[in-house]
């Protein structure tokens, strides 16, 4: 996990508890697709279906890796931390609703 600004095209997933952790998914490339172990569907009828199958499999593999990274990270947080964040968000929402109603 690097805190530096990621390369252009990278998708950064932040911890919802705002602890500073993040998971970066670099932009798509042929090397990344190969690294995911994705291959074209042997039953594809043409090049378009083959490319579509590779893209679909790569997207699914990337989503599974991202979900696993997030779940592993969230396991490092305690129930108290989750409760504190939920409470703080509720307070912030109530304050925002109050300021909106006061200005109407």
């Amino acid at each position: 996990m690097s805190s530096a600004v990621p390369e252009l095209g990278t998708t950064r997933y932040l911890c919802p508890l705002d602890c500073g952790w993040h998971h970066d998914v670099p932009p798509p490339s042929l090397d990344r697709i190969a690294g995911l172990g994705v291959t074209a569907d042997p039953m594809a009828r043409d090049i378009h279906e083959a490319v579509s199958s590779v893209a679909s499999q790569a997207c699914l593999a990337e989503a599974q890796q991202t979900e696993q990274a997030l779940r592993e990270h969230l396991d490092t947080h305690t129930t108290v931390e989750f409760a504190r964040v939920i409470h703080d968000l509720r307070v912030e929402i109530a304050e925002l609703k109050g300021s909106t109603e006061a200005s109407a």
Side-chain angles (χ1 to χ4, degrees), residues 34-80:
L36 291 170
V38 174
T39 58
D41 181 355
M43 301 299 288
R45 293 176 292 197
D46 58 32
I47 189 67
H48 299 289
E49 278 190 16
V51 169
S52 180
S53 73
V54 168
S56 295
Q57 289 178 50
C59 184
L60 180 60
E62 196 70 72
Q64 289 170 334
Q65 286 182 359
T66 299
E67 181 177 2
Q68 179 181 355
L70 182 58
R71 286 183 183 278
E72 288 174 3
H73 171 71
L74 290 177
D75 284 344
T76 68
H77 287 289
T78 66
T79 303
V80 171

Side-chain angles (χ1 to χ4, degrees), residues 5-13 23-36 58-59 62 65-66:
V5 176
E7 80 175 279
L8 188 62
T10 296
T11 301
R12 177 167 280 184
Y13 296 90
H23 174 72
D24 288 344
V25 177
S29 71
L30 293 177
D31 290 338
R32 292 213 12 84
I33 290 172
L36 291 170
C59 184
E62 196 70 72
Q65 286 182 359
T66 299

